[in-house]
Amino acid sequence: MKVALRHLVRNRRRTLLTLLAVLIPVYFLVFMFGFANANLRDMFETATRFDTGHAQIRAVPTKATGSAIPLMRDPSDALAALAEVKEIEWWTVRLDLPAMASVGERSRTIYVRGIVPEEVDPVSGLADRIVAGESLATGTGGVVVGEELALLLKLEVGDEIVLLGAHPEAALGAIRAPVVGVYRAPEAALGRTVIYADLSTARQLARSETAATAIVLRVAGVTGPGDQTALDRAVNDLRANLPAGYEVQDWLELVPMVATYMGILTPALLIVGAIFFALGGLVVLNTIYLSVLERTRELGLILALGAARRRVVRMILAEAGAIAVAGAVGGAVTGVGLILVVEAFGGIPLWGAAAQMMREIGMSPVLHLSANFVQVALSTASMTAVAVLAAWWPARRASRLEPMEAMRYVE
Amino acid sequence: MTGMVRMAWRNLWRHPQRTLLMTGIVAFGSLVILILFGVTDGFVGSMTAAQVAENQGSFQVRTAAYADDPVLENALSPEQLTAAQAALTGMRLAGIAPRLEVGAMLRSAYGTDGVALRGVDPIAEKSVTHPDEMIADGRYLMGSGEILLSSVLAEELDVRIGERIVVVVGGSAGVKSQAFVTVGLFRPTIVEMERVAIAPLDTLRKLTGIEGATTLAVSLPGGTAAGRAVAEARRLLAAHPDIAVADYFDLNPLARVMISGSTIKLIPFVIMISLLAGFGVANTTFYSVLERTREFGVMTAVGMSRKTLAGVVLLESALVGAMGFLVGGGIGYAGLLYLGRDGIDFSSFVRDVGGSLGMPTVIYAATSGWYWVAAFSVVVFTVIAAAWYPARRANQLEPVTAIREG
Amino acid sequence: MSSSAVMRTEKLQKVYRTGATETPALRGVDLELEEREFTATAGPSGSGKSTLLHLLGGLDRPTDGEIYLDGRAMSGLSKDELARLRLTRIGFVFQAYNLIPVLTVVENTAFVLELQGIPYRERIRRARAILAELRVDKYADQFPNRLSGGEQQRVAVARAVVSDPAIVLADEPTANLDTKTSLDLIDLMRRMNEEHETTFLFATHDTRLLDRVDRVIHLEDGRIARDERVR
Ligand SMILES: Nc1ncnc2c1ncn2[C@@H]1O[C@H](COP(=O)(O)OP(=O)(O)OP(=O)(O)O)[C@@H](O)[C@H]1O
Ligand SMILES: [Mg+2]
């Protein structure tokens, strides 16, 4: 070991370059994982707080309904069953109706989302997203529209909007409602298509006192996309308790985009990681090979003096190991360090068209980073392993030297 | 100079394994960069091509107001439509078709869906976006009161060929509805088109009470440069300030961000890969220069200038770079050819995330383009950066020391 | 001062500095080498023979004093001008490893001509002619590592004289050779000296070679101890 270290010091420049070749892949991977983690967390927060909840109870569809969610005539039996599942810490009843919204001569197909404002507000922060007018209050009969829709329909707070309910399983209702507020959705598509109304207002549109399309719920102890097992357990308990005709879908089923994103992200990161590891490995292989070549005479002498071949292999692997560990740990430290620094400054804000695009696909226009210990440890360990493996071939080559041959070696 | 090249070349093969390793590093680096750029470029190209061919045509003529506020009131009047068509007669076009596009609700016996309803001139549209060729079931439009649905819509609404479907639109005379007969189902490759229904222009004109068209879609003959054609159309329509020409980027404002975004995202990759490959080459080159100190001393002693010496060192790594690029480029080209022919099926991803951005479901990699230049300049940069220090050392060599130390 | 002097030095001094210690290697050498002279410099190890040759060849610069080649002072020349001078006016032969391993014997010989920009055919023709004179033409297309030490040194001599320099400097060219090969090499150098009218100066330890030269300069402790004309 001491000999290995001395060799590394002897060729300081080369050791440094190799160190960097090990450091960069780890650093890069840690950083990219950091982006991906924060991205996923962002998606989780947006989806579960604003849109889907952790899971929803819905009616089992009996026939095609277009893009409408099947109607539950009266969800009270489901609510009773829900109350018995102790992991569920929060729930609310919601009615989503496809509808045609018209203002003057302009009209759009949209969804009316009937909610119980005082239940929803503390979780979704809808009230905090109001950019004009005021938020929804129970029993006032007004509606809140997204910024994008307000623009398309040339709407202002105080205008009246005509809503024509079109749920295929409900009776056709029409109402005229005042717009009390405009909200900014986390995702442009939501802002273009979702109009919030008080649950009772929405029920007028479906001409029913009790109708709903979903019971939105949150599970205790689920705080991020990594808590899927806790969520699954709660969902299973709930399924066991529910009467027939209901099903439970968790947020990943409700926002398949996130599931797909996760499905693509992992292999993509692995491919990128493999590319960088392979390059780093090649550079280590190259360096160790050079250092073996350079010491051919010396190694020959060691062998001639009677050292076991295994010892030579171990000596060279130790050399590679020292570089690998130092480089990989250095990469992890700089990667995590950079993440911490970026986060200390509150993330990387995007502007202009890029920010608009992030909003279009429902992501925060401020890029965040978050380090995950397991990923960092795995990246570090695998790069170390790749580097040591790469040293294997030159090490074996060294141990196969014929001592006399090696000592005569010039150049 | 040929002698120097020969010398550099032979120097490389004094240690074949070492040189092969270096070549491998450069080849791997350029391969990765080529594939990355090829797939990204192909992605953008496929996206544009699919949008143009299936959805939008090469460019569109609309009223100036329609871009900001796409409602029926901002449609082209019949006079504007005639004027625009007359103005463009001088251009070589593959097709030109008026469209009346309006948001509508479809109601079947079972379900409801919001769609973009597109009223087309059944004959003229065939030469712009060829909807007749996308028909998967049933037939193309022949008479008024008929409608084409995407197969996804038909499934959601549980509508079969020959069945009636109610279309609800809001027009100048309030909300109106009319029953249409489903005559055909089409299967698009871009997800955006799955939420489109196509009906005859005259039927929609009657339904909405709008006599003109919201847009005039234009397609260009193969091989025409879209940019130049748009510029020409703008010039021909300059006399009509109320009429505007919208090119691909006007119609897809986010596409530009996506294109530059996906290219910019590659830059850190390229830098990291260049660095890594550079380290590999630099290590070896430096070592081989050290090893030949005495030899270099003799060469300077017999009168070789140190610049020439540094040149030989640079030449050696340049040869390695060239070989690496040839190998990496060859494999990369084959890979891209394969990906370009068979495509990468992204349909599940695109369906969930990309629909609103107009991404196609199958992406064909591009096999030629500026990224070849990019990859090559990366190789050149890598090699020069890696050989810089060794070459400088060769350049600073003191002949006496070199000979004495030998 | 004869006008036929190819090389002349005035009060040539060289002091090596390594850290705080100073090693004077040459302490004022005044020397004149006539055209066509075949001269040896001898002296104990460390007397400054190599240092003198390196200075004369423009490989290193003196601490003090001046060197004139063809009557022109060398101290004013830049490194590149010195390289140019070595290329055209000075030939070198070292103790060993003279040849470039990746070039064949004929390519090695023609290397200097190539650097001078002489066309391929012409330089190969001249290189082969010289190799023939030195009786190593049969190895022309082999790589140097296939040749014996004596043959390698003969190729080195060929390379040194092929460009018709004013002077050839050889630092212990025979040190790695056996006696017979050494004498052979000196005889060949002598023939080159006579046939090409090239001035030769070589350093040696070997006293048996000294009766084959015109003149012997004995160095001791960085000074000329004795300068004798043998013939
Ligand atoms: N680079 C150097 N740094 C310091 N001292 C040096 C250096 N080169 C030579 N010397 C010293 O200068 C003196 C003259 O050395 P030089 O090599 O010229 O002697 P030499 O006559 O050629 O000896 P030899 O017969 O052993 O080759 C010696 O004392 C030597 O130690
Ligand atoms: Mg000496």
Side-chain angles (χ1 to χ4, degrees):
Chain A
M1 193 64 206
K2 214 190 276 167
V3 185
L5 278 180
R6 231 173 263 158
H7 277 302
L8 293 179
V9 174
R10 194 164 76 182
N11 246 308
R12 224 172 287 133
R13 209 192 63 98
R14 191 163 76 199
T15 306
L16 202 72
L17 279 186
T18 316
L19 207 74
L20 283 174
V22 179
L23 186 146
I24 285 179
V26 176
Y27 158 80
F28 202 62
L29 212 63
V30 166
F31 201 72
M32 297 225 318
F33 268 123
F35 260 120
N37 292 338
N39 237 334
L40 276 179
R41 209 187 45 197
D42 203 29
M43 288 177 167
F44 174 85
E45 281 293 298
T46 307
T48 61
R49 287 193 175 273
F50 199 78
D51 193 17
T52 63
H54 290 159
Q56 291 183 7
I57 300 174
R58 289 183 173 186
V60 177
T62 49
K63 53 185 184 183
T65 52
S67 52
I69 303 167
L71 212 61
M72 314 190 255
R73 299 272 160 213
D74 185 356
S76 50
D77 50 346
L79 284 170
L82 171 77
E84 282 167 26
V85 182
K86 58 182 185 320
E87 297 107 300
I88 295 171
E89 57 176 12
W90 176 92
W91 67 86
T92 185
V93 173
R94 181 197 277 179
L95 176 60
D96 275 320
L97 296 173
M100 177 80 103
S102 313
V103 178
E105 293 179 348
R106 293 161 186 262
S107 56
R108 300 271 307 178
T109 54
I110 48 95
Y111 291 89
V112 172
R113 176 163 291 179
I115 56 167
V116 183
E118 59 276 14
E119 283 177 10
V120 169
D121 272 346
V123 170
S124 76
L126 178 63
D128 303 330
R129 290 183 169 272
I130 299 295
V131 290
E134 52 196 61
S135 189
L136 217 53
T138 309
T140 52
V143 296
V144 172
V145 302
E147 266 182 316
E148 288 83 359
L149 187 64
L151 216 61
L152 285 168
L153 292 178
K154 290 240 163 81
L155 264 178
E156 272 173 36
V157 173
D159 288 353
E160 283 220 319
I161 187 168
V162 176
L163 298 172
L164 180 67
H167 197 289
E169 294 175 331
L172 290 186
I175 54 166
R176 189 175 283 275
V179 173
V180 296
V182 175
Y183 73 97
R184 171 169 296 159
E187 183 182 345
L190 282 179
R192 257 196 300 272
T193 52
V194 176
I195 294 185
Y196 280 92
D198 175 35
L199 183 60
S200 57
T201 312
R203 278 176 173 166
Q204 284 174 28
L205 214 50
R207 297 225 219 136
S208 159
E209 301 281 286
T210 53
T213 50
I215 301 168
V216 182
L217 51 90
R218 290 175 67 84
V219 173
V222 175
T223 54
D227 299 325
Q228 193 63 30
T229 42
L231 183 55
D232 284 345
R233 197 157 357 118
V235 166
N236 284 335
D237 288 356
L238 185 58
R239 277 191 187 126
N241 255 333
L242 277 178
Y246 292 101
E247 63 179 9
V248 185
Q249 295 181 10
D250 69 13
W251 71 288
L252 281 177
E253 294 168 272
L254 293 167
V255 209
M257 167 188 151
V258 179
T260 318
Y261 182 70
M262 282 166 90
I264 289 209
L265 199 63
T266 316
L269 281 179
L270 287 182
I271 290 172
V272 169
I275 289 171
F276 278 95
F277 281 8
L279 250 183
L282 270 176
V283 174
V284 172
L285 174 83
N286 189 39
T287 309
I288 301 293
Y289 178 64
L290 287 182
S291 114
V292 166
L293 211 63
E294 183 183 69
R295 279 182 280 152
T296 302
R297 274 159 154 292
E298 188 180 319
L299 291 169
L301 185 69
I302 293 177
L303 287 169
L305 290 176
R309 290 176 188 275
R310 252 185 310 126
R311 213 187 139 85
V312 171
V313 173
R314 231 185 300 139
M315 191 178 89
I316 289 164
L317 286 185
E319 198 178 315
I323 296 187
V325 170
V329 170
V333 169
T334 38
V336 173
L338 190 63
I339 289 177
L340 293 180
V341 169
V342 167
E343 281 306 294
F345 282 96
I348 308 166
L350 295 177
W351 63 93
Q356 195 200 335
M357 170 161 147
M358 291 304 274
R359 205 169 123 63
E360 194 67 36
I361 59 176
M363 289 188 197
S364 152
V366 178
L367 295 180
H368 284 285
L369 292 159
S370 120
N372 172 317
F373 175 75
V374 178
Q375 290 165 349
V376 171
L378 272 180
S379 311
T380 312
S382 17
M383 185 67 232
T384 310
V386 167
V388 173
L389 263 181
W392 183 253
W393 176 67
R396 287 245 315 198
R397 224 187 104 93
S399 76
R400 296 252 168 103
L401 285 171
E402 283 306 319
M404 290 330 287
E405 197 70 8
M407 284 175 66
R408 235 180 291 129
Y409 182 92
V410 279
E411 269 188 339
Chain B
M1 202 53 214
T2 52
M4 296 301 132
V5 176
R6 187 180 42 208
M7 196 155 91
W9 178 254
R10 286 193 196 153
N11 274 329
L12 286 180
W13 297 108
R14 277 156 92 164
H15 298 282
Q17 273 154 330
R18 210 159 80 183
T19 302
L20 286 177
L21 254 175
M22 274 200 285
T23 311
I25 291 176
V26 175
F28 187 73
S30 45
L31 171 69
V32 166
I33 288 171
L34 270 181
I35 296 276
L36 270 177
F37 273 78
V39 169
T40 308
D41 215 29
F43 171 81
V44 170
S46 313
M47 186 167 90
T48 313
Q51 276 289 12
V52 166
E54 284 184 19
N55 192 15
Q56 294 169 343
S58 306
F59 64 88
Q60 297 189 355
V61 179
R62 314 181 294 189
T63 64
Y66 192 79
D68 293 328
D69 195 7
V71 291
L72 288 176
E73 294 86 278
N74 289 331
L76 294 159
S77 67
E79 296 77 43
Q80 285 174 316
L81 200 55
T82 324
Q85 271 175 310
L88 294 184
T89 41
M91 284 182 72
R92 233 168 56 82
L93 302 177
I96 181 163
R99 289 179 184 176
L100 188 61
E101 283 175 317
V102 58
M105 189 130 68
L106 297 188
R107 290 187 53 120
S108 71
Y110 298 112
T112 312
D113 259 337
V115 298
L117 183 60
R118 178 176 294 175
V120 301
D121 174 338
I123 309 292
E125 190 66 33
K126 278 204 257 186
S127 53
V128 177
T129 54
H130 322 284
D132 52 321
E133 290 167 19
M134 282 196 287
I135 300 290
D137 199 4
R139 61 165 172 81
Y140 186 56
L141 298 174
M142 275 163 59
S144 57
E146 294 178 347
I147 194 165
L148 302 176
L149 302 180
S150 75
S151 13
V152 172
L153 272 179
E155 196 181 318
E156 278 185 11
L157 295 168
D158 199 6
V159 181
R160 269 160 268 243
I161 305 282
E163 287 183 356
R164 280 170 182 277
I165 189 158
V166 176
V167 172
V168 186
V169 296
S172 51
V175 175
K176 286 186 156 191
S177 60
Q178 182 183 332
F180 282 72
V181 182
T182 312
V183 294
L185 307 183
F186 62 90
R187 185 165 289 140
T189 58
I190 45 176
V191 178
E192 209 177 329
M193 286 284 286
E194 286 176 352
R195 309 225 73 85
V196 169
I198 303 176
L201 182 63
D202 48 356
T203 315
L204 272 196
R205 277 180 175 160
K206 268 190 217 112
L207 184 62
T208 55
I210 299 288
E211 275 310 306
T214 51
T215 183
L216 194 55
V218 178
S219 69
L220 297 168
T224 317
R228 205 166 312 139
V230 167
E232 193 189 345
R234 285 197 174 128
R235 195 172 47 74
L236 291 172
L237 285 166
H240 307 274
D242 51 337
I243 300 179
V245 176
D247 66 11
Y248 176 77
F249 288 112
D250 295 330
L251 296 170
N252 304 277
L254 288 174
R256 198 192 297 270
V257 190
M258 273 188 51
I259 291 171
S260 56
S262 55
T263 310
I264 289 170
K265 259 184 264 160
L266 290 182
I267 291 176
F269 270 98
V270 170
I271 292 176
M272 295 280 165
I273 288 177
S274 311
L275 274 178
L276 282 179
F279 290 160
V281 179
N283 264 346
T284 311
T285 316
F286 189 72
Y287 177 60
S288 85
V289 166
L290 276 189
E291 167 190 278
R292 284 180 289 164
T293 303
R294 197 197 147 84
E295 196 177 313
F296 286 173
V298 170
M299 293 204 276
T300 42
V302 301
M304 191 181 213
S305 78
R306 291 177 307 173
K307 276 195 203 71
T308 318
L309 190 59
V312 171
V313 173
L314 260 177
L315 205 58
E316 285 174 21
S317 34
L319 284 173
V320 166
M323 287 192 297
F325 183 71
L326 275 182
V327 174
I331 300 176
Y333 185 73
L336 287 178
L337 265 187
Y338 172 76
L339 292 180
R341 201 191 57 211
D342 292 355
I344 313 165
D345 194 347
F346 271 119
S347 45
S348 68
F349 177 66
V350 167
R351 227 166 279 278
D352 297 323
V353 69
S356 58
L357 298 173
M359 293 186 203
T361 47
V362 179
I363 288 154
Y364 296 94
T367 38
S368 65
W370 62 273
Y371 55 87
W372 281 93
V373 182
F376 185 68
S377 50
V378 164
V379 170
V380 170
F381 167 79
T382 302
V383 162
I384 291 181
W388 186 255
Y389 190 72
R392 219 180 56 151
R393 205 190 133 89
N395 191 20
Q396 284 170 351
L397 186 98
E398 284 300 334
V400 200
T401 343
I403 287 161
R404 282 204 193 254
E405 279 173 6
Chain C
M1 254 183 238
S2 150
S3 59
S4 63
V6 173
M7 203 152 221
R8 186 161 62 80
T9 70
E10 268 175 13
K11 302 196 181 65
L12 201 58
Q13 292 192 27
K14 179 71 186 175
V15 181
Y16 290 107
R17 285 193 184 81
T18 32
T21 61
E22 294 197 347
T23 320
L26 292 179
R27 308 165 187 257
V29 171
D30 291 284
L31 177 70
E32 254 180 56
L33 295 170
E34 307 289 328
E35 236 173 64
R36 286 203 274 165
E37 239 178 357
F38 194 71
T39 312
T41 168
S45 190
S47 55
K49 302 185 293 293
S50 296
T51 304
L52 179 63
L53 292 191
H54 291 158
L55 291 181
L56 293 180
L59 289 178
D60 205 354
R61 292 185 190 274
T63 315
D64 201 5
E66 186 57 271
I67 305 167
Y68 298 91
L69 177 64
D70 302 327
R72 276 177 52 212
M74 278 169 63
S75 61
L77 301 179
S78 73
K79 286 191 172 182
D80 284 342
E81 285 165 331
L82 282 177
R84 187 80 211 149
L85 199 68
R86 289 199 296 272
L87 187 59
T88 50
R89 303 296 292 150
I90 300 167
F92 270 107
V93 180
F94 299 102
Q95 183 175 329
Y97 303 117
N98 271 295
L99 305 178
I100 300 161
V102 292
L103 300 182
T104 61
V105 163
V106 68
E107 285 167 353
N108 257 293
T109 314
F111 183 65
V112 196
L113 301 177
E114 181 179 354
L115 291 176
Q116 290 180 10
I118 291 171
Y120 179 78
R121 281 169 181 286
E122 163 78 359
R123 64 179 189 246
I124 295 295
R125 189 189 56 74
R126 279 170 64 180
R128 283 192 191 277
I130 291 286
L131 288 172
E133 282 183 50
L134 287 159
R135 301 196 311 264
V136 278
D137 49 329
K138 61 173 178 256
Y139 304 117
D141 295 312
Q142 307 226 331
F143 285 96
N145 58 3
R146 302 283 297 276
L147 273 60
S148 74
E151 289 157 353
Q152 287 190 23
Q153 288 304 76
R154 273 191 263 163
V155 177
V157 172
R159 185 185 61 196
V161 298
V162 74
S163 62
D164 274 326
I167 183 168
V168 171
L169 302 168
D171 193 0
E172 305 194 32
T174 61
N176 286 3
L177 306 178
D178 62 42
T179 311
K180 184 178 170 306
T181 324
S182 299
L183 293 176
D184 261 7
L185 188 72
I186 294 298
D187 288 342
L188 278 170
M189 281 166 59
R190 177 93 226 188
R191 254 184 64 198
M192 292 295 118
N193 162 252
E194 282 160 2
E195 287 171 14
H196 295 269
E197 306 190 343
T198 312
T199 313
F200 270 77
L201 174 64
F202 68 92
T204 186
H205 279 293
D206 195 342
T207 45
R208 283 164 308 178
L209 304 179
L210 296 183
D211 52 356
R212 289 173 139 78
V213 300
D214 300 334
R215 177 181 171 192
V216 183
I217 299 167
H218 292 274
L219 280 183
E220 250 164 56
D221 208 11
R223 287 198 184 85
I224 297 182
R226 215 147 27 94
D227 184 349
E228 50 181 359
R229 300 213 170 253
V230 183
R231 294 192 203 182

